[in-house]
Amino acid sequence: MTDITDAQWAELEPEIPSPRPGGRPRKTDIREVVNAIFYITHEGCTWRALPHDFPPWRTVYNYFDAWKYDGTWDRIIDRLRVLLRAAAGRPTSPRVACIDSQSVKTAGGGQEVGTDGGKKVRGRKRHIVVDTMGLLLAVIVTAANVDDAKAAQRLFAKMPSKDFYRLDEVQADSRYHSPELDRWLRVHHRGYEVVVVSREPGERRFVPLRSRWAVERTFAWLGRYRRLSKDYEHTTSSSEAVVKIAAIHHYLRRLHPVAVPESQRFRFVGHRPKQAA
């Protein structure tokens, strides 16, 4: 079930834009619109395949598109991140963050499509920054052939120091070792720096780096949403919105867990013992 509970809706409702003044009164149930958007993101269906229990697909899409441009998804992300950090007994602003990218194939083309030569993937890249709890701080989507360090400049442009006043360092892998990126951070007066975290010199075995695996864990959480199995969106702005929506739904579940009455794992109805030969 992707429908949100009353407690989860209470966290979202203050950030939902009010109807515009004038004109016809709003007749659409906004909570059902939110449920429909979460359903599409989790189940991965097309807009036109939206079940008839929800509002018309065109109405749902129009709200998705409008909230993408007016910053509604960003405001909800910021609100939930503060609540989750407070519930964990942490300050509202993180001190350490992690950055990484994920290359995914596209379905049907669209804007900004390229080939990641290292991973041999034609499509787009999702670039994200998360705190050590795995909570999303910023996200951008580019063509897959865009260099990570260059994309990081666009990513950090969404993270001004006044909004992340405690942030000291952003941990990354060797792809973000770039004098140009360091210069960009100085010119734009960022109060944090990129710190490359690598294995010990001479170490050839696989060694998990706890500080950097926070971002890998976030990609795993997002991977549970079928709309993110590929990049199905025509524009990168819509791709970024879908990542934010998946994160919002996940954070609502963490903030107000939904009790599952029984296991969802597959079980055989009965067991027939083997017969003797």
Side-chain angles (χ1 to χ4, degrees):
M1 291 292 293
T2 57
D3 289 359
I4 56 178
T5 64
D6 292 340
Q8 294 169 351
W9 174 242
E11 304 293 354
L12 292 183
E13 191 174 15
E15 301 298 336
I16 300 297
S18 302
R20 294 180 180 178
R24 294 176 58 187
R26 176 186 283 171
K27 295 183 179 180
T28 303
D29 186 345
I30 295 299
R31 180 169 174 174
E32 284 302 304
V33 170
V34 174
N35 284 334
I37 293 173
F38 285 152
Y39 179 87
I40 286 177
T41 305
H42 191 274
E43 301 303 326
C45 68
T46 62
W47 291 101
R48 289 174 175 80
L50 190 66
H52 296 295
D53 297 340
F54 296 112
W57 75 267
R58 175 60 71 179
T59 300
V60 176
Y61 176 81
N62 287 341
Y63 277 106
F64 162 82
D65 198 50
W67 294 344
K68 177 178 66 178
Y69 289 110
D70 66 9
T72 298
W73 302 124
D74 294 313
R75 292 193 300 271
I76 294 174
I77 282 271
D78 294 340
R79 175 185 176 89
L80 296 181
R81 183 176 64 247
V82 169
L83 292 175
L84 282 168
R85 290 186 63 85
R90 300 194 182 191
T92 57
S93 178
R95 190 187 66 82
V96 177
C98 306
I99 184 174
D100 205 351
S101 66
Q102 179 189 55
S103 297
V104 293
K105 296 180 180 180
T106 51
Q111 298 177 355
E112 296 191 41
V113 176
T115 301
D116 183 345
K119 297 181 179 178
K120 303 297 187 292
V121 172
R122 177 166 177 77
R124 293 180 178 146
K125 270 186 185 179
R126 298 169 184 148
H127 308 263
I128 64 172
V129 179
V130 302
D131 64 8
T132 52
M133 292 180 61
L135 305 178
L136 196 65
L137 304 182
V139 55
I140 66 166
V141 176
T142 66
N145 60 339
V146 175
D147 180 68
D148 287 351
K150 188 172 290 294
Q153 299 179 19
R154 292 174 52 188
L155 199 57
F156 291 146
K158 297 187 175 185
M159 298 172 54
S161 295
K162 63 181 180 63
D163 294 339
F164 300 96
Y165 54 90
R166 291 186 70 249
L167 190 59
D168 289 336
E169 65 180 54
V170 179
Q171 299 181 352
D173 58 25
S174 58
R175 293 174 295 176
Y176 294 91
H177 178 64
S178 168
E180 182 181 352
L181 178 58
D182 296 338
R183 183 166 53 253
W184 187 96
L185 291 171
R186 291 193 302 269
V187 169
H188 290 82
H189 307 289
R190 294 298 189 262
Y192 47 87
E193 61 178 350
V194 175
V195 177
V196 175
V197 180
S198 304
R199 292 180 296 181
E200 294 293 333
E203 180 63 67
R204 295 184 177 275
R205 298 174 302 167
F206 171 75
V207 179
L209 302 174
R210 181 178 179 182
S211 58
R212 269 181 34 204
W213 272 74
V215 66
E216 300 294 347
R217 181 179 56 184
T218 300
F219 279 130
W221 288 335
L222 296 175
R224 298 174 182 175
Y225 292 81
R226 294 185 179 181
R227 189 80 179 189
L228 296 176
S229 61
K230 287 185 179 180
D231 196 322
Y232 294 97
E233 313 306 319
H234 183 74
T235 64
T236 56
S237 60
S238 292
S239 299
E240 294 167 7
V242 174
V243 173
K244 295 172 187 176
I245 292 167
I248 289 170
H249 190 257
H250 175 71
Y251 299 162
L252 286 172
R253 293 297 181 95
R254 290 177 63 174
L255 199 59
H256 299 285
V258 178
V260 179
E262 58 185 10
S263 174
Q264 301 296 322
R265 293 180 299 172
F266 173 79
R267 285 187 174 88
F268 289 104
V269 177
H271 177 69
R272 296 168 57 185
K274 295 182 179 179
Q275 298 179 354

Coordinates of all heavy atoms in Angstrom, one line a residue, residues 166-210:
R166 N 26.4 24.3 9.4 CA 27.3 23.4 10.2 C 28.1 22.5 9.3 O 29.0 21.8 9.8 CB 26.5 22.5 11.2 CG 25.8 23.2 12.3 CD 25.2 22.2 13.3 NE 26.2 21.4 14.0 CZ 26.4 20.1 13.8 NH1 25.7 19.4 12.9 NH2 27.3 19.4 14.5
L167 N 27.8 22.5 8.0 CA 28.5 21.6 7.1 C 29.9 21.9 6.9 O 30.3 23.0 6.5 CB 27.8 21.6 5.8 CG 28.2 20.5 4.8 CD1 28.0 19.1 5.3 CD2 27.4 20.6 3.5
D168 N 30.8 21.0 7.3 CA 32.3 21.2 7.2 C 32.9 20.5 6.0 O 33.8 21.0 5.3 CB 33.0 20.7 8.5 CG 32.7 21.6 9.7 OD1 32.4 22.7 9.5 OD2 32.8 21.0 10.8
E169 N 32.4 19.3 5.7 CA 33.0 18.5 4.7 C 32.0 17.6 3.9 O 31.0 17.2 4.5 CB 34.2 17.6 5.2 CG 33.8 16.5 6.2 CD 34.9 15.7 6.6 OE1 35.9 16.3 7.1 OE2 34.9 14.4 6.5
V170 N 32.3 17.4 2.7 CA 31.5 16.5 1.8 C 32.4 15.4 1.4 O 33.4 15.6 0.6 CB 30.9 17.2 0.6 CG1 30.1 16.3 -0.2 CG2 30.0 18.4 1.1
Q171 N 32.2 14.2 1.8 CA 33.1 13.0 1.5 C 32.7 12.5 0.2 O 31.5 12.4 -0.2 CB 33.0 12.0 2.6 CG 33.4 12.5 4.0 CD 33.3 11.5 5.1 OE1 32.8 10.4 4.9 NE2 33.9 11.8 6.3
A172 N 33.7 12.1 -0.6 CA 33.5 11.6 -1.9 C 34.6 10.6 -2.3 O 35.6 10.4 -1.6 CB 33.6 12.8 -2.9
D173 N 34.5 10.0 -3.5 CA 35.5 9.2 -4.0 C 36.4 10.0 -4.9 O 36.3 11.2 -5.1 CB 34.9 8.0 -4.8 CG 34.0 8.4 -5.9 OD1 34.2 9.5 -6.5 OD2 33.1 7.6 -6.3
S174 N 37.4 9.3 -5.6 CA 38.5 9.9 -6.3 C 38.0 10.7 -7.5 O 38.7 11.6 -8.0 CB 39.5 8.9 -6.7 OG 39.0 7.9 -7.5
R175 N 36.8 10.4 -8.0 CA 36.3 11.1 -9.2 C 36.0 12.6 -8.9 O 35.9 13.4 -9.8 CB 35.0 10.5 -9.7 CG 35.2 9.1 -10.3 CD 33.9 8.4 -10.6 NE 33.1 8.2 -9.5 CZ 31.9 7.7 -9.5 NH1 31.3 7.4 -10.7 NH2 31.2 7.5 -8.4
Y176 N 35.9 13.0 -7.6 CA 35.6 14.3 -7.2 C 36.9 15.1 -6.8 O 36.8 16.2 -6.3 CB 34.6 14.4 -6.1 CG 33.3 13.9 -6.5 CD1 32.9 12.5 -6.4 CD2 32.3 14.7 -7.0 CE1 31.7 12.0 -6.8 CE2 31.1 14.2 -7.4 CZ 30.8 12.9 -7.3 OH 29.5 12.4 -7.7
H177 N 38.1 14.4 -7.1 CA 39.3 15.2 -6.8 C 39.6 16.1 -8.0 O 40.1 15.6 -9.0 CB 40.5 14.1 -6.6 CG 41.8 14.8 -6.4 ND1 42.1 15.6 -5.3 CD2 42.9 14.8 -7.2 CE1 43.3 16.0 -5.4 NE2 43.9 15.6 -6.5
S178 N 39.3 17.4 -7.8 CA 39.4 18.3 -9.0 C 39.7 19.7 -8.4 O 39.0 20.3 -7.6 CB 38.0 18.4 -9.7 OG 38.0 19.5 -10.6
P179 N 40.9 20.2 -8.9 CA 41.2 21.6 -8.5 C 40.2 22.6 -8.9 O 40.0 23.6 -8.3 CB 42.6 21.8 -9.2 CG 43.1 20.5 -9.4 CD 42.0 19.6 -9.6
E180 N 39.6 22.3 -10.1 CA 38.5 23.3 -10.6 C 37.3 23.3 -9.6 O 36.8 24.4 -9.3 CB 38.0 22.8 -12.0 CG 37.0 23.8 -12.6 CD 36.5 23.3 -13.9 OE1 37.1 22.3 -14.5 OE2 35.6 23.9 -14.5
L181 N 37.0 22.1 -9.1 CA 35.9 22.1 -8.1 C 36.2 22.8 -6.8 O 35.4 23.5 -6.2 CB 35.5 20.6 -7.8 CG 34.4 20.4 -6.8 CD1 33.1 21.1 -7.2 CD2 34.1 18.9 -6.6
D182 N 37.5 22.6 -6.3 CA 37.9 23.3 -5.1 C 37.9 24.8 -5.3 O 37.5 25.5 -4.4 CB 39.3 22.8 -4.8 CG 39.4 21.3 -4.4 OD1 38.3 20.8 -4.0 OD2 40.4 20.7 -4.5
R183 N 38.3 25.2 -6.5 CA 38.3 26.7 -6.8 C 36.9 27.2 -6.8 O 36.6 28.3 -6.3 CB 39.0 26.9 -8.1 CG 39.2 28.4 -8.5 CD 40.2 28.6 -9.6 NE 39.9 27.8 -10.8 CZ 40.6 26.7 -11.2 NH1 41.6 26.3 -10.4 NH2 40.2 26.0 -12.2
W184 N 36.0 26.4 -7.4 CA 34.6 26.9 -7.4 C 34.0 27.1 -6.0 O 33.3 28.0 -5.7 CB 33.8 25.8 -8.2 CG 32.3 26.3 -8.4 CD1 31.8 26.8 -9.5 CD2 31.2 26.1 -7.5 NE1 30.5 27.1 -9.4 CE2 30.1 26.6 -8.1 CE3 31.1 25.6 -6.2 CZ2 28.8 26.6 -7.5 CZ3 29.8 25.6 -5.6 CH2 28.7 26.1 -6.3
L185 N 34.4 26.2 -5.1 CA 33.9 26.3 -3.7 C 34.4 27.5 -3.0 O 33.7 28.2 -2.3 CB 34.3 25.0 -2.9 CG 33.6 23.7 -3.3 CD1 34.3 22.5 -2.6 CD2 32.1 23.8 -3.0
R186 N 35.7 27.9 -3.3 CA 36.3 29.1 -2.7 C 35.7 30.3 -3.3 O 35.3 31.3 -2.6 CB 37.8 29.1 -3.0 CG 38.6 28.0 -2.2 CD 40.1 28.3 -2.2 NE 40.6 28.4 -3.6 CZ 41.1 27.3 -4.2 NH1 41.1 26.1 -3.6 NH2 41.6 27.5 -5.4
V187 N 35.5 30.4 -4.6 CA 34.9 31.5 -5.3 C 33.5 31.8 -4.8 O 33.1 33.0 -4.6 CB 35.0 31.4 -6.8 CG1 34.2 32.5 -7.5 CG2 36.4 31.4 -7.3
H188 N 32.7 30.7 -4.6 CA 31.3 30.9 -4.2 C 31.2 30.9 -2.7 O 30.1 30.7 -2.2 CB 30.5 29.8 -4.8 CG 30.3 30.0 -6.3 ND1 31.3 29.6 -7.2 CD2 29.4 30.6 -7.0 CE1 30.9 29.9 -8.4 NE2 29.7 30.5 -8.4
H189 N 32.3 31.0 -1.9 CA 32.3 31.1 -0.5 C 31.5 30.0 0.2 O 30.7 30.3 1.1 CB 31.7 32.5 -0.1 CG 32.4 33.7 -0.8 ND1 33.7 34.1 -0.5 CD2 31.9 34.5 -1.8 CE1 34.0 35.1 -1.3 NE2 33.0 35.3 -2.1
R190 N 31.8 28.8 -0.1 CA 31.2 27.7 0.6 C 32.0 27.4 1.8 O 33.2 27.4 1.8 CB 31.1 26.4 -0.3 CG 30.2 26.6 -1.5 CD 28.7 26.8 -1.0 NE 27.7 26.7 -2.1 CZ 27.2 27.8 -2.7 NH1 27.6 29.0 -2.4 NH2 26.3 27.7 -3.7
G191 N 31.3 27.1 2.9 CA 32.0 26.8 4.2 C 32.4 25.4 4.3 O 32.8 25.0 5.4
Y192 N 32.3 24.6 3.3 CA 32.6 23.2 3.4 C 33.6 22.9 2.2 O 33.7 23.6 1.3 CB 31.4 22.3 3.3 CG 30.4 22.7 2.2 CD1 30.5 22.2 0.9 CD2 29.3 23.5 2.4 CE1 29.7 22.5 -0.1 CE2 28.4 23.9 1.4 CZ 28.6 23.3 0.1 OH 27.7 23.7 -0.9
E193 N 34.2 21.7 2.3 CA 35.2 21.3 1.3 C 34.9 19.8 1.0 O 34.3 19.1 1.7 CB 36.6 21.4 1.8 CG 36.9 20.6 3.1 CD 38.3 20.8 3.5 OE1 39.1 21.3 2.8 OE2 38.7 20.3 4.6
V194 N 35.4 19.4 -0.2 CA 35.3 18.0 -0.6 C 36.5 17.2 -0.1 O 37.6 17.6 -0.4 CB 35.2 17.9 -2.2 CG1 35.2 16.5 -2.6 CG2 33.9 18.6 -2.6
V195 N 36.2 16.2 0.6 CA 37.3 15.3 1.1 C 37.2 13.9 0.5 O 36.2 13.3 0.6 CB 37.2 15.2 2.7 CG1 38.2 14.2 3.2 CG2 37.2 16.5 3.3
V196 N 38.3 13.5 -0.2 CA 38.3 12.3 -0.9 C 38.6 11.2 0.1 O 39.7 11.2 0.8 CB 39.3 12.3 -2.1 CG1 39.4 10.9 -2.7 CG2 38.9 13.3 -3.1
V197 N 37.7 10.2 0.2 CA 37.9 9.0 1.1 C 38.2 7.8 0.3 O 37.4 7.4 -0.5 CB 36.7 8.8 2.0 CG1 36.9 7.6 3.0 CG2 36.4 10.1 2.8
S198 N 39.4 7.2 0.5 CA 39.8 6.0 -0.3 C 40.3 4.9 0.6 O 40.5 5.1 1.8 CB 40.9 6.4 -1.3 OG 40.5 7.5 -2.1
R199 N 40.5 3.8 0.0 CA 41.1 2.6 0.7 C 42.5 3.0 1.1 O 43.2 3.8 0.5 CB 41.1 1.4 -0.1 CG 39.7 0.9 -0.4 CD 39.7 -0.4 -1.3 NE 40.3 -0.1 -2.6 CZ 40.4 -1.0 -3.6 NH1 40.1 -2.3 -3.3 NH2 40.9 -0.7 -4.7
E200 N 43.0 2.2 2.1 CA 44.4 2.4 2.5 C 45.4 2.0 1.3 O 45.1 1.2 0.5 CB 44.7 1.4 3.7 CG 44.0 1.8 4.9 CD 44.5 3.1 5.5 OE1 45.6 3.5 5.3 OE2 43.6 3.8 6.2
P201 N 46.5 2.7 1.2 CA 47.4 2.4 0.1 C 47.9 1.0 0.1 O 48.2 0.4 1.2 CB 48.6 3.4 0.4 CG 48.0 4.5 1.2 CD 46.9 3.9 2.0
G202 N 47.8 0.3 -1.0 CA 48.2 -1.1 -1.1 C 47.1 -2.0 -0.9 O 47.3 -3.2 -1.1
E203 N 46.0 -1.6 -0.4 CA 44.8 -2.5 -0.1 C 44.1 -2.9 -1.4 O 43.7 -2.0 -2.2 CB 43.9 -1.8 0.8 CG 42.7 -2.7 1.2 CD 43.0 -3.9 1.9 OE1 43.5 -3.8 3.1 OE2 42.9 -5.0 1.3
R204 N 44.1 -4.1 -1.7 CA 43.5 -4.6 -2.9 C 42.1 -5.3 -2.7 O 41.4 -5.6 -3.6 CB 44.4 -5.6 -3.7 CG 45.7 -4.9 -4.2 CD 46.6 -5.8 -5.0 NE 47.7 -5.1 -5.5 CZ 47.8 -4.4 -6.6 NH1 46.7 -4.3 -7.3 NH2 48.9 -3.8 -7.0
R205 N 41.8 -5.7 -1.5 CA 40.6 -6.3 -1.2 C 39.4 -5.3 -1.1 O 39.7 -4.1 -1.1 CB 40.7 -7.0 0.2 CG 41.7 -8.1 0.3 CD 41.7 -8.6 1.7 NE 42.1 -7.5 2.7 CZ 41.9 -7.6 4.0 NH1 41.5 -8.7 4.5 NH2 42.3 -6.6 4.8
F206 N 38.2 -5.8 -1.2 CA 37.0 -5.0 -1.0 C 36.9 -4.6 0.4 O 36.8 -5.4 1.3 CB 35.8 -5.7 -1.5 CG 34.5 -4.9 -1.2 CD1 34.2 -3.8 -1.9 CD2 33.7 -5.3 -0.2 CE1 33.0 -3.1 -1.6 CE2 32.6 -4.6 0.1 CZ 32.2 -3.5 -0.6
V207 N 37.0 -3.3 0.7 CA 36.8 -2.8 2.1 C 35.7 -1.7 2.1 O 35.9 -0.7 1.5 CB 38.2 -2.2 2.6 CG1 38.0 -1.6 4.0 CG2 39.3 -3.2 2.5
P208 N 34.6 -2.0 2.7 CA 33.5 -1.0 2.8 C 34.0 0.2 3.6 O 34.5 0.1 4.7 CB 32.4 -1.7 3.5 CG 32.9 -3.1 3.9 CD 34.3 -3.3 3.4
L209 N 33.7 1.4 3.0 CA 34.1 2.6 3.7 C 32.8 3.2 4.3 O 31.9 3.7 3.5 CB 34.7 3.6 2.7 CG 36.0 3.1 2.0 CD1 36.4 4.1 0.9 CD2 37.1 2.8 3.0
R210 N 32.7 3.1 5.6 CA 31.4 3.4 6.2 C 30.9 4.8 5.9 O 29.8 5.1 5.7 CB 31.6 3.3 7.7 CG 30.3 3.5 8.5 CD 30.5 3.3 10.0 NE 29.3 3.6 10.7 CZ 29.2 3.5 12.0 NH1 30.2 3.1 12.8 NH2 28.1 3.8 12.7

